[in-house]
Structures are given as C-alpha cells and as structure tokens.
Amino acid sequence: MARAASGGARDPAAPAPPRPAPPRPAPPARLGARLLAGLRAAGCEPRAGATRGRDGSMSRGPAGAWVALGPLLWTCGLALEGGMLYPRESPSRERKDLDGLWSFRADFSDGRRQGFEQQWYRAPLREWVNGVHVAEHEGGHLPFEADISKLVQSGPLSSCRITLAINNTLTPHTLPPGTIVYKTDASKYPKGYFVQNTYFDFFNYAGLHRPVLLYTTPTTYIDDITVTTGVDQDTGLVDYQIFVQGSEHFQLEVYLLDEEGKVVAQGTGSQGRLQVPNVHLWWPYLMHEHPAYLYSLEVRLTAQMAAGPVSDFYTLPVGIRTVAVTERQFLINGKPFYFHGVNKHEDADIRGKGFDWPLLVKDFNLLRWLGANAFRTSHYPYAEEVMQLCDRYGIVVIDESPGVGIMLVQSYSNVSLQHHLEVMGELVRRDKNHPSVVMWSVANEPTSFLKPAAYYFKTLIAHTKALDPSRPVTFVTNSNYEADLGAPYVDVICVNSYYSWYHDYGHMEVIQLQLATEFENWYRTYQKPIIQSEYGAETIAGFHQDPPLMFSEEYQKGLLEQYHLVLDQKRKEYVVGELIWNFADFMTDQSPQRAVGNRKGIFTRQRQPKAAAFLLRERYWKLANETGHHRSAAKSQCLENSPFAL
Ligand code: GCB
C-alpha cells in the first residue's frame, strides 16, 4: 500500500518555498516498450493474413482454449493493468522513438490461410521481444505497453528484436465491427474467395500508424496520475491521485508550476488537493485573450530500496477548467460554450492514416485560420500527440471511441459490450488528463433503434460516467428521435443529418423546414442541449455550377448556408454546436457513391480550401466574436498577426 496517502496540500496563502534541486536519479532500471496504438485492428487485405513475426513465432498454443475464452479473458485480464502515462523524458527516464521502416513480412506461404481457417482473428494483437511473447492487445487506436527489462540484452554488440503480429480482421465483436464474407458462387469467384465487409465510411488502412516507443523508468516508478480540476471564485483546485509501482515504501512530492516556471502550489502524498490563487483558467481558443493556459504538475518520487534510494520524475501538463451541461447549455468555466468546428479523420495523401507531425501542424494552423474552436475525433481515438496539441492550442475535443458501424444485432451481444466497456476504460485512462477533452462519445451512428441498443447504451454510458464523473457522455445518432433507444442516457444530443444530400437531392429549399422540425422534436422529447454533429455535401474542388448542382462548390456552400439559417435561430435556444462534415476530403472504400474517397471536406485531401472553407471562416470568426468573452478578435490571413497566435 502506498505510504503518505493523505492530502497534504500547502496553505495557498503562504508563499511557495523554493523547490529543492532534484536528487540525482538512480540509473534507469526498467525498460518499457510502449506500442502507442496505431495498431489498427482493421484494414489490410484479409488474404495477407496476420503479419507474421520474423521469427515465425505465430504459433498459437491450444487454439481451442483461446477460442473458448476469447477476447473477454484477454481484455479483462490485461487491458487495464496499470496506468498509461505518455512516455516523456525526465531526469529519471529515457525515451527512444522506434519510428522508421520496420521489416514487414506478409505471409505468402502455402499455409497462409490457416489463420482464417482456425479463426486466429478472434485473438488479440501480439508482440514479442527477442522471440519471447510479452504482450497482446485487442483493438487499434489505443496504446498498450509491456515491461521488457528482463528480456533486453546488455553489452555493446547485442541487439534487440521487437516483433509484432498485427491481425487486421474485423468481426461483429471487434470495434469497429465487420464481417468476413465468403463468396461461394463458383461461376463468379475463385475457390476460397472472401471479402472483409465494414459498416463505416473511411478506408481501413492496415499496419502500424503511430509511434512505437521504448522508454525507461526506475524500478520504483510513477505509474499513473489522475488529475481533476475545479474552480472556487478565483482559486483553482487541482485534485490529484498518483499510483506508484515497484515499492510500497516511497514519498511523493508534487509541485504545480505556472507558465513562467514559478511554483504556485505544492503537496505531498499519493493524493491531495492543490489550491491555486488567482488562477489562470484553461479557456478554449477564441474564448479568452490567453486561451489554453497550461500549468505543469511535477511529481517527484523517492523510494528506499535495498540497493539504495531511487527517484522518479514525471511532469504532466494541467489545464484548470470546469465543464457542465444544463438543459440548454454547454458550460466551460461556467460560461456558455458554442462548438463551432469540424469533424476530422486521421487521413492524408501518401501517409494514409500514419501519424505525421507536419500534417498535424498544418491542420492545426488551418483550424485556427478557420476560427474553429472544436472537433470530434470521428470515428476513433486520435494519436496522443493530437490531443496534446489540442491542450496547447485550446481546441476543444469530443473524444470518440472506435464504436463506429455498430449495425448488426450480433454487435450488441455481451461479448461485444464487454469489449466496448474495456475500450472505454482504455480511452478514459489515456485521455482523462487532457483539459481539451470535454465530452466522451461512445459511438457513431449505431442502429440505436434496435431493441438491444437500450441495454447496451445504458450500460456503456453508465460505465463511462463511472470511470469519469467529470465529463458528459454522448453518442452520435442518425436515428429518428422517437425510435432512438440510447438517447435517454446521453447528456447532450448529437445528431447527424444530410438534408438535400442523401435524400431530396438538389432541393435545398426543404432544408430549413426539415432541420428546424428535427431540432424541435429532439428538444421537446429530451430537453437536452443539441449539437449538429455532422452535416455537409460532397464537392469536387474546382467543379462550378450556376445554378448550383450537386458536387459543385456552389452547392456545398448553398447547403451549408441553409443549415446556418436554422442554426442561428436555434443556437439562441438549445443548440450548442455545429461541426461540419468534414474538415478535409478523405479516402474510403470504393463505391459508386465515392469519387476517389469522400469529398465532403471543406479542404481537399491536400489541405487546399474549397469555397465552403471561406464561408465557414466568415461564420466561425463571427460566432467567436459573438459568443467569446473577450475583446473582439480580428481574423487575419496570416497567423503571426493574429491576436491568438501562439
Ligand atoms: C455519416 C457518417 C460518416 C460519413 C458521412 C458521409 O453519417 O458518420 O462517417 O462519412 O455520413 O459522408 O456519408
């Protein structure tokens, strides 16, 4: 048990004593290999099968037992052990990025279908170090890690081989769900022909999409930190809880530093409350003259081990802010917040879904150019580095799980629900400390009118709230307001609609009536704030038509303008946000409805603006000036001149 578990926050009125210099850390003794998500359990040609380790160590042990115990056992037993702090360098920790080109090996052997015949896809993703199996994980997008201290060799000539086997098959019980369908008509398909079906609209890229990191900690180390924040008049409150692994005998010191590096509060012990007088709150972009204020929480651990003292240091960025929902409003720091932003995808030319810093910086510059203050991580958790930039730039996030395409009745089974609960646990564990995250979304457009959806969403939402009582929870619906069985459990109604796009083609004149009626129906039924979580039109950049025809830039603009007329009325009542579909064009499966991907972006896939980007820019800056709580902001073409440039 942790020692010194009581609060121990210092008197906020007393001046902060100088911090003692960090004690000299003991040499790092524990090596953790962290495979930071991107291990998307989706997407490659199923015929490529699971990628095999170079050592060929794909043998599965007693297959029957695996199938019988299946994902439930693995997710329950393994997924939530320990914390998932982002690996950072510190005086006691080293971090090495293993980015680059790995030796990929697709299986072209005669037995390559074995995996499908024996249903290996029911098993999680696996990882070996120097031929020893160290970890497995089910599901993509969220990080997992393993302690590999005992396996790495020491000495100048030794090398360390890390092997990953990634199984990209989607089943009705994975997230997202999918099905493997065998085509048995011998007149049309060769023997054994099958396809992977999915129920979502983005390309299912295979492989590793995010960094693989190797990092060290001392043998006794800070394993997890949970921070929740509050405000009492002009005093900020930071409640912290720290988990330590490796010893029960340790001391913890905690310092909160402002942006100038000055200690503004300090405490000791595994949990406590820090009080920050004259607090600088974390405000969203364009809601304050100094948005996104981040403090640093420095945690110092010292433990007495048989071999001598051990120290560990970890610094967590902390934004102090509150989030609340009323019948008609979404409040940040007690002030009404209106989401004017976008839905995104992790997608671009060349990189596909792969994480890319320059792309990320470009996207954030475009968001700021646009005057967007929010986005939804449609339709899966984004890389941790994205969330860190949101914290830094004040971009508010609706953090969505990979619960997209939940269509089939089988996907509401207990096996599926158990996995979904586990995934929400992993998501909350990873993103709980980000001030930018203001709401969890457990799913996108499920068949929430099906009978089992009621129990499924009731359980899932209650579980997510229990994991994190500090944030509202939603899922994004496109079901009819009367038929939706999950809506009673959400805090905010998030509705997608495509008036004059997927029906009433070309008839923009019906949008206002249909949209206003829909809002009124939802509000009358639930008295909860509403977000227009998707709307948009497919547009090929450079297509022009007057009068506006579908797929032209003029049609996209015209359709958005019709939506805006209604949004402008209803935002005075209970509509609290609008998120365009989509920030940029993105790749999808091939179909007659998609002309090389989904073209509903207001930017092209190469991040060039369509006419709609300029329209939205006008609107978002106007909204910022109306709804922000600061002196009027002049939008500028060039970010350096912007009052909000960082
Ligand atoms: C939706 C989905 C999104 C699609 C979009 C579209 O409702 O949530 O994933 O890409 O519609 O363009 O059809």
Side-chain angles (χ1 to χ4, degrees):
M1 283 298 295
R3 219 171 79 184
S6 68
R10 80 178 178 89
D11 174 3
R19 278 177 304 148
R24 227 173 108 196
R30 178 182 161 266
L31 258 178
R34 185 174 201 192
L35 302 156
L36 280 167
L39 306 176
R40 226 163 123 27
C44 72
E45 266 301 296
R47 271 162 295 161
T51 310
R52 207 172 253 273
R54 263 181 17 202
D55 54 6
S57 49
M58 197 63 193
S59 68
R60 307 232 22 268
W66 280 54
V67 170
L69 297 173
L72 196 62
L73 177 76
W74 288 108
T75 52
C76 289
L78 296 176
L80 287 185
E81 259 176 31
M84 197 49 72
L85 287 176
Y86 186 72
R88 295 176 195 279
E89 292 260 337
S90 82
S92 58
R93 296 171 175 232
E94 277 179 55
R95 167 189 146 147
K96 199 186 233 326
D97 285 36
L98 302 183
D99 296 354
L101 287 181
W102 287 47
S103 295
F104 288 103
R105 218 181 88 166
D107 183 0
F108 294 113
S109 67
D110 289 345
R112 68 180 190 274
R113 290 189 194 287
Q114 202 186 350
F116 289 94
E117 283 153 18
Q118 295 175 3
Q119 302 194 331
W120 288 358
Y121 52 79
R122 285 174 178 264
L125 183 153
R126 313 185 87 196
E127 176 205 352
W128 292 261
V129 174
N130 290 337
V132 179
H133 172 224
V134 293
E136 42 197 284
H137 182 255
E138 191 178 350
H141 309 102
L142 290 163
F144 67 97
E145 59 184 27
D147 180 356
I148 60 167
S149 326
K150 298 207 174 72
L151 298 170
V152 286
Q153 297 142 357
S154 56
L157 294 178
S158 62
S159 62
C160 171
R161 186 182 63 205
I162 298 175
T163 310
L164 281 167
I166 306 170
N167 185 338
N168 301 297
T169 315
L170 298 180
T171 76
H173 308 302
T174 54
L175 280 185
T179 46
I180 296 286
V181 176
Y182 281 85
K183 307 271 189 177
T184 50
D185 182 342
S187 69
K188 292 187 181 156
Y189 305 100
K191 190 165 177 300
Y193 190 87
F194 62 86
V195 289
Q196 166 82 74
N197 283 342
T198 61
Y199 307 100
F200 50 81
D201 183 38
F202 52 90
F203 192 76
N204 227 350
Y205 286 101
L208 280 166
H209 301 147
R210 300 189 190 156
V212 180
L213 302 175
L214 199 59
Y215 75 98
T216 65
T217 69
T219 44
T220 296
Y221 60 97
I222 300 155
D223 183 43
D224 200 11
I225 306 170
T226 303
V227 160
T228 49
T229 62
V231 186
D232 181 9
Q233 313 227 350
D234 66 350
T235 299
L237 308 174
V238 178
D239 290 319
Y240 65 87
Q241 201 170 2
I242 301 163
F243 297 90
V244 170
Q245 288 285 345
S247 170
E248 292 181 3
H249 306 290
F250 56 82
Q251 282 156 356
L252 285 165
E253 294 164 76
V254 176
Y255 300 91
L256 193 73
L257 281 68
D258 65 14
E259 284 188 352
E260 271 72 55
K262 199 173 114 239
V263 176
V264 293
Q266 69 183 74
T268 54
S270 304
Q271 60 184 42
R273 166 169 287 188
L274 304 177
Q275 304 201 8
V276 188
N278 303 317
V279 63
H280 296 284
L281 295 179
W282 186 96
W283 287 99
Y285 174 53
L286 298 180
M287 202 171 170
H288 193 267
E289 279 158 29
H290 189 151
Y293 193 97
L294 289 176
Y295 292 89
S296 299
L297 189 79
E298 271 189 19
V299 180
R300 297 170 175 204
L301 162 83
T302 36
Q304 288 303 324
M305 307 298 283
V310 167
S311 317
D312 190 21
F313 306 89
Y314 190 90
T315 302
L316 181 77
V318 169
I320 302 177
R321 58 106 185 91
T322 61
V323 171
V325 173
T326 71
E327 254 186 37
R328 288 165 176 257
Q329 289 178 321
F330 195 99
L331 303 173
I332 296 185
N333 298 332
K335 301 259 164 67
F337 176 73
Y338 188 76
F339 295 75
H340 43 88
V342 305
N343 290 275
K344 285 185 100 260
H345 261 303
E346 290 187 315
D347 176 276
D349 270 2
I350 315 289
R351 283 290 185 131
K353 243 181 167 38
F355 177 74
D356 186 15
W357 275 113
L359 173 74
L360 191 60
V361 171
K362 174 74 180 169
D363 281 3
F364 272 78
N365 281 339
L366 289 179
L367 287 173
R368 295 193 298 160
W369 174 88
L370 203 57
N373 63 4
F375 68 76
R376 171 165 68 118
T377 68
S378 44
H379 297 305
Y380 37 79
Y382 291 179
E384 285 166 287
E385 292 80 358
V386 179
M387 312 308 284
Q388 290 162 9
L389 275 198
C390 290
D391 291 347
R392 266 177 63 182
Y393 289 179
I395 303 292
V396 165
V397 178
I398 300 175
D399 203 353
E400 189 157 278
S401 89
V404 56
I406 302 177
M407 300 285 171
L408 308 170
V409 175
Q410 302 99 286
S411 297
Y412 290 97
S413 68
N414 281 345
V415 174
S416 293
L417 177 56
Q418 177 59 45
H419 178 55
H420 206 152
L421 296 174
E422 206 63 48
V423 168
M424 288 316 300
E426 290 184 18
L427 178 60
V428 172
R429 177 176 63 169
R430 192 194 74 163
D431 288 349
K432 63 189 170 188
N433 293 324
H434 288 289
S436 55
V437 174
V438 300
M439 181 154 66
W440 306 109
S441 163
V442 298
N444 178 68
E445 295 189 354
T447 43
S448 46
F449 49 86
L450 294 181
K451 213 166 154 216
Y455 175 75
Y456 191 95
F457 285 105
K458 183 179 177 192
T459 312
L460 191 57
I461 290 169
H463 174 73
T464 309
K465 280 171 181 276
L467 289 166
D468 178 10
S470 76
R471 290 179 177 90
V473 183
T474 191
F475 74 91
V476 171
T477 187
N478 64 344
S479 298
N480 179 276
Y481 75 101
E482 285 177 311
D484 196 310
L485 300 174
Y489 309 107
V490 301
D491 295 306
V492 175
I493 304 278
C494 288
V495 217
N496 295 347
S497 63
Y498 286 91
Y499 298 125
S500 274
W501 188 260
Y502 286 123
H503 46 84
D504 300 301
Y505 316 131
H507 291 287
M508 290 197 269
E509 65 279 7
V510 300
I511 292 176
Q512 288 190 51
L513 173 65
Q514 295 184 1
L515 182 60
T517 308
E518 184 181 31
F519 283 152
E520 282 153 21
N521 286 337
W522 277 108
Y523 192 74
R524 198 182 52 253
T525 312
Y526 288 107
Q527 288 92 52
K528 293 177 185 176
I530 300 176
I531 293 178
Q532 180 68 45
S533 40
E534 285 182 28
Y535 69 111
E538 210 90 13
T539 304
I540 312 279
F543 270 26
H544 293 284
Q545 289 292 321
D546 181 35
L549 297 184
M550 291 176 84
F551 295 97
S552 69
E553 299 210 23
E554 289 73 15
Y555 193 88
Q556 187 181 37
K557 264 183 77 180
L559 184 146
L560 302 193
E561 278 164 344
Q562 291 301 308
Y563 266 80
H564 295 162
L565 290 171
V566 181
L567 287 163
D568 279 340
Q569 288 162 23
K570 300 299 179 189
R571 73 187 165 86
K572 297 192 186 104
E573 302 175 40
Y574 45 74
V575 169
V576 296
E578 52 187 85
L579 304 175
I580 185 76
W581 191 262
N582 189 284
F583 172 70
D585 293 347
F586 58 91
M587 193 44 72
T588 64
D589 267 358
Q590 297 183 66
S591 87
Q593 289 183 319
R594 296 284 175 258
V596 192
N598 187 310
R599 303 291 189 127
K600 295 195 187 73
I602 53 163
F603 295 99
T604 65
R605 204 173 180 220
Q606 296 73 30
R607 279 33 181 191
Q608 294 304 323
K610 301 179 190 172
F614 295 95
L615 174 86
L616 276 184
R617 183 169 188 248
E618 281 302 316
R619 176 169 177 79
Y620 285 178
W621 281 90
K622 193 170 124 262
L623 286 171
N625 281 330
E626 259 179 54
T627 60
H629 301 272
H630 58 80
R631 70 188 155 77
S632 155
K635 72 174 185 302
S636 94
Q637 200 69 32
C638 169
L639 282 170
E640 276 93 337
N641 298 334
S642 155
F644 303 107
L646 293 181

